[in-house]
Amino acid sequence: MAPVVPRSGDAIFANVERVNAELFTLTYGAIVRQLLTDLEEVDEVNKQLDQMGYNIGIRLIDEFLAKSNVSRCVDFKETAEVIAKVGLKMFLGVTATVTNWDVEGTTCSLILEDNPLVDFVELPDTCQGLYYCNILSGVVRGALEMVSMKTEVTWLCDMLRGDDTFELQLKLLKQVPEEYPYKDDE
Amino acid sequence: MAPVVPRSGDAIFANVERVNAELFTLTYGAIVRQLLTDLEEVDEVNKQLDQMGYNIGIRLIDEFLAKSNVSRCVDFKETAEVIAKVGLKMFLGVTATVTNWDVEGTTCSLILEDNPLVDFVELPDTCQGLYYCNILSGVVRGALEMVSMKTEVTWLCDMLRGDDTFELQLKLLKQVPEEYPYKDDE
């Protein structure tokens, strides 16, 4: 059987159902504001955003696999590239550059070229410890866990905190070998 | 000067920044779940969703006016049509039918043809009083208030509550005459 060719992020993004990015941005802002009011502690808000993202990621992976034609990645390097070029494009309409690999090939960074989550956002002085985009790190962590990769995903740079860029670090902690009850050619 | 022709909802929607609808749907679901956990009372969640929507609507109206080329509507009937055919399309990618006008022309219903907020959503028995889409009624109310129309916006039918359709009632309470410090041709 001819191999299924993975579709580009652009092609997929052009064909999925979409909503206005500003509506999404403002809706996300409403979540963060709500959490800041309810939880009071910025650290708790960071945790909760990450957890919300995780819950979204473990569901979004299904849509990703169904629509992208991406099959098993040979290693974590390929996985990171697929997130940067296909996954982010498919869901947020942006891409990232993968960089800062460690020698083991288990830690890298995604540098986001654009970030629709933060349009019009400025953090007040009272929120300086906030990782505003923590939902995104949670989504990546949740999605990877569903394809047997346990990871730690953290923001190293954040333009809302005064950095020049958005840099999301992916660290592979453990890869659980998948066991199949059947063989591919059965 | 030649009049500026309003652009169709399709044309505008094709040209605005967008994100994946499933991501939006799941993110919105995360808000509702969070509010249910934090506020406990379903009535309070309804109110809070409406308020969040209101806060979003008073900002989205700027994007709407800037991108749609829609100018002043002659009456509330035209306003309702613009919401149904241009506004909803521009932000959610869907349209609605305007119906059920009262004789005064101040109350009508929007019947939504599709509703991306509720994909994959089922309400558990404990949430039967929930107006899951109340953020949307709040958005419409907030946006209209910024163009001097005080309205009441309520869900008459909701498929999540077992109805056949999503029917959003718009009731014009008061239209504040706008006063201009200048004339159009100055």
Side-chain angles (χ1 to χ4, degrees), chain A residues 79-98:
Chain A
T79 303
E81 286 293 337
V82 166
I83 295 170
K85 301 295 185 240
V86 188
L88 287 174
K89 184 77 196 181
M90 178 168 164
F91 292 110
L92 289 177
V94 302
T95 56
T97 307
V98 186

Side-chain angles (χ1 to χ4, degrees), chain B residues 39-98:
Chain B
L39 303 177
E40 292 170 6
E41 293 290 328
V42 164
D43 284 350
E44 288 302 311
V45 176
N46 290 338
K47 271 187 218 162
Q48 188 61 31
L49 288 172
D50 182 77
Q51 184 61 41
M52 280 181 169
Y54 177 86
N55 294 339
I56 292 171
I58 62 178
R59 293 189 59 174
L60 274 190
I61 187 74
D62 288 335
E63 162 132 333
F64 176 76
L65 294 174
K67 300 224 167 121
S68 68
N69 288 350
V70 165
S71 54
R72 183 183 311 277
C73 295
V74 293
D75 56 16
F76 192 56
K77 286 205 169 181
E78 189 182 344
T79 304
E81 285 293 334
V82 166
I83 296 170
K85 301 295 186 241
V86 188
L88 288 173
K89 184 78 196 179
M90 178 168 166
F91 292 108
L92 289 177
V94 302
T95 56
T97 306
V98 187

Side-chain angles (χ1 to χ4, degrees), chain B residues 140-183:
Chain B
V140 172
R141 186 169 63 86
L144 286 176
E145 200 160 305
M146 297 307 281
V147 289
S148 307
M149 277 174 262
K150 193 137 185 71
T151 54
E152 203 175 273
V153 184
T154 37
W155 290 100
L156 295 191
C157 299
D158 182 333
M159 290 172 80
L160 292 182
R161 302 171 73 135
D163 299 317
D164 291 339
T165 181
F166 284 98
E167 178 174 354
L168 188 64
Q169 186 182 65
L170 313 186
K171 187 184 283 189
L172 179 65
L173 301 178
K174 191 176 158 186
Q175 190 150 15
V176 186
E178 286 173 275
E179 287 179 23
Y180 283 86
Y182 54 84
K183 290 179 190 165

